[in-house]
Amino acid sequence: MEDLKEYSNGDVTIVWQPKLCIHSGVCARGLPNVFKPKEKPWIDQFGAPSDALTKQIGACPSGALSFYTNNTKGITTHG
């Protein structure tokens, strides 16, 4: 089973699948206050409102980023 990393802000949980990530930088350019590749942990789930997070996750070209809302627990992928 692939390793998943989850980052929750209480409203949504960001799911990152490192093995799928192509390091395009789309996330970091879109929300630099959230996606910080030079820091650990590299995702600050509190760096933007939930709607901005989900919109940016939808732009992930590889599908390495997805999310679920904490009230539904159904993973929503980009697109």
Side-chain angles (χ1 to χ4, degrees), residues 23-45:
H23 306 286
S24 68
V26 170
C27 56
R29 285 189 301 277
L31 282 179
N33 290 332
V34 174
F35 301 103
K36 304 174 183 183
K38 295 184 180 190
E39 295 183 17
K40 292 204 183 222
W42 77 281
I43 295 176
D44 176 5
Q45 66 273 30

Side-chain angles (χ1 to χ4, degrees), residues 24 26-27 53-63 78-79:
S24 68
V26 170
C27 56
L53 292 173
T54 59
K55 183 178 179 183
Q56 189 61 46
I57 289 166
C60 177
S62 68
H78 67 271

Side-chain angles (χ1 to χ4, degrees), residues 43-72:
I43 295 176
D44 176 5
Q45 66 273 30
F46 301 105
S50 295
D51 59 338
L53 292 173
T54 59
K55 183 178 179 183
Q56 189 61 46
I57 289 166
C60 177
S62 68
L65 291 171
S66 59
F67 71 92
Y68 60 85
T69 57
N70 292 342
N71 61 352
T72 63

